[in-house]
Amino acid sequence: MTKRPNELTIEEAAKALRAREITVRELWDACSEAAHAKNPELHAFLEIFDADDRAIEAAQIRIDTDKDLAPLLCGIPLALKDNILIEGKIASAASKMLENYRATYDATVVKKLKDAGTLFLGRTNMDEFAMGSSTEHSAFGETLNPHDPTRVPGGSSGGSAAAVAANMCIAALGSDTGGSIRQPAALTGLAGLKPTYGAVSRSGLIAMGSSLDQIGPLAKTVADARILYETIRGRDTLDSTTIPDGLYPAHEASAHLRIGVPWHLLREGVDADVLAAFDMTLKKLERAGHSLVDVELPTSSHALAAYYVIMPAEVSTNLARLDGMRYGHAARGETLLDDYRNSRTEGFGEETRRRVLLGAFVLSSGYIDAYYRKADAARAVLRGEYDEAFKKADVIAFPTTPSPAFKFGEKSDPVSMYLEDIFTVTANLTGMPAVSVPMGMVEREGTKLPIGIHFTAPHQAEEVLFAAGSAVEHTRNS
Amino acid sequence: MPESVHRDCQNVQHQVLHRSRPRAEARGFCYSALMATTDEVQKLAELSRIKIEGAELEKFTNEFDAILAYVGQLEKLDLPQGDALREKPALRNVLREDGEPHEAGKYTQMLVEQFHAKEGNALSVKQIISHD
């Protein structure tokens, strides 16, 4: 074996465990040592957990006993974003507000992973309450991009992305409200999936935008992302927005995909070398037997504006529960109102306060029609345009981001940071699944930085996304 | 006012609730030129139970203007009216039947441990109604 155990993919590690080339303990130790060694520099983890000896032993016995029948994730050390609840562990959402909050139950995805015998290596850094595209809004300091430590790893799931990209764990879970899995995946050279809204339970995910949030995988390969997705997905009585299989019309993953490209949205705003890499990837896909079709998505140019109305509205509602009473940061004053106000003022960081206020604004009686209802209507139109485009395309392709990882402090005004999400928010607004897959490197100041290609598919057509992602991986390897 | 801007204002204004019109018009605003004031941001902060003061209030107000200018592009978006937007989504939020409660007291200890102040298993808060 030429790779170190912590550098393996889920598929490779599962194979090595079954072939007795490594033990679960050796795999855990390799990841734990790498995490401890690299975390002081990268700050990907907010906490690295101690070894759970019983879980490690149980996973080893299960693999030895069940062999190929054991789940592929059995004995695999994963990292979890700090907004996913593990009973008894801190879940802070990278906020001072929840710095000492200890989860009283397992998120449904955690239950499913525990059932599969997965091991949890630690909780990863993120933008506070998942609001941001760089981890610069974490209350506990930013995470650095393993490809260039002067640059951001993306966000908000930047800690999970950096942990996987730096081989501090085998794979990780993040959450995606407007691109928070796919953008960091692109900026760190990983595969990242935002599942169909309702495909994965949100029970035990600290809510940001409830009509937009989904938990999903950040992984070294598309096949690994698929393994994680298959493990965590499914209907859940604890989340009534989860959906049954077959709710939407079935879509087969054809060997010859029709790839829709909305060229009209790419004429400006994308770095020339990113656009060139996108074009080259599409040409390679065409040579591999897939076809390209031009699609029109006229309302897409307004998607980000609609998102930045709907999301803060939901944020202000969801975060209203955090008042310093039953749990979380508690600052006290003269009156009960002071208690609420002091707790929230001290507990929330700047970006969180900004979005809570913005949400209160767009929902206020004088503006709700001009902003919120208009954005909600735009969302419905957008969904219709995508449905129409999917009549002639199996997937729709974009570059995941207009540019590679940016430098810390480079996007200091809110709007320039929000523009990072310009190609990713649409999938959250429409509820459709989307994936980012590495499509090469571009150079900035002598350093090669990864970039991603983004595919959106119709609702519940994740298999089509995996086919498109695998096709890109094949073109890269060919 | 240029004709195109005037038209945009009319487009937005005809969708605005009656009760909001006097407020906007009294200020002389057309929505595409909407700007936040420090008073408004202060009011939003009060409603949101957050304190924002001094230089930060000024900064937030300026940033609000930039954000509102960006999201304000929605005003220029012509959308179909009526039934086209009322298509019933396949995904619906459903309620489940009550039943299968967890064992009483199962989470009590863990929840109570998170209280900042308590009396026994009860959360202790400041008096809400004064008898003065």
Side-chain angles (χ1 to χ4, degrees), chain A residues 100-304:
Chain A
N100 298 311
Y101 171 70
R102 213 166 268 283
T104 55
Y105 64 99
D106 279 333
T108 295
V109 294
V110 168
K111 274 189 222 151
K112 286 172 180 271
L113 290 172
K114 281 183 176 176
D115 287 347
T118 306
L119 307 174
F120 301 113
L121 194 67
R123 54 190 179 92
T124 54
N125 198 16
M126 55 187 280
D127 290 287
E128 184 180 14
F129 289 107
M131 292 185 229
S133 309
S134 67
T135 72
E136 289 171 288
H137 297 309
S138 166
F140 308 115
E142 66 254 10
T143 297
L144 280 54
N145 191 321
H147 293 271
D148 178 351
T150 67
R151 292 174 188 273
V152 305
S156 63
S157 310
S160 287
V164 181
N167 293 309
M168 299 157 88
C169 58
I170 304 300
L173 288 188
S175 67
D176 191 314
T177 306
S180 282
I181 289 173
R182 293 160 286 152
Q183 183 254 16
L187 270 41
T188 57
L190 301 174
L193 171 75
K194 197 280 297 177
T196 302
Y197 182 78
V200 177
S201 171
R202 291 178 294 112
S203 174
L205 171 70
I206 297 174
M208 176 185 163
S210 298
S211 76
L212 305 157
D213 296 339
Q214 273 291 279
I215 296 172
L218 288 125
K220 294 170 190 172
T221 63
V222 172
D224 279 7
R226 183 168 185 255
I227 292 166
L228 269 164
Y229 167 69
E230 285 297 334
T231 306
I232 62 175
R233 76 182 194 89
R235 207 166 185 190
D236 179 17
T237 52
L238 297 177
D239 175 2
S240 62
T241 61
T242 49
I243 53 176
D245 286 344
L247 180 68
Y248 296 98
H251 294 270
E252 293 293 318
S254 154
H256 303 287
L257 293 167
R258 298 168 302 162
I259 301 167
V261 188
W263 286 111
H264 67 107
L265 297 170
L266 303 172
R267 285 187 200 116
E268 54 188 30
V270 183
D271 288 1
D273 50 1
V274 173
L275 201 54
F278 177 68
D279 198 32
M280 188 186 291
T281 304
L282 292 175
K283 285 198 170 85
K284 283 183 182 174
L285 288 169
E286 210 173 11
R287 281 201 293 275
H290 307 288
S291 56
L292 305 182
V293 288
D294 207 351
V295 293
E296 294 281 328
L297 302 164
T299 307
S300 275
S301 52
H302 297 279
L304 191 65

Side-chain angles (χ1 to χ4, degrees), chain B residues 36-84:
Chain B
T37 65
T38 52
D39 283 350
E40 276 178 323
V41 174
Q42 184 73 70
K43 179 71 185 160
L44 290 169
E46 280 169 28
L47 288 168
S48 306
R49 309 279 194 257
I50 289 172
K51 272 192 280 193
I52 296 179
E53 293 162 336
E56 196 176 46
L57 180 61
E58 204 66 41
K59 180 171 178 273
F60 266 55
T61 307
N62 291 334
E63 287 170 350
F64 249 60
D65 281 343
I67 296 167
L68 293 178
Y70 184 77
V71 301
Q73 65 172 274
L74 283 176
E75 295 167 13
K76 294 177 189 149
L77 184 60
D78 271 332
L79 293 174
Q81 302 293 314
D83 293 343

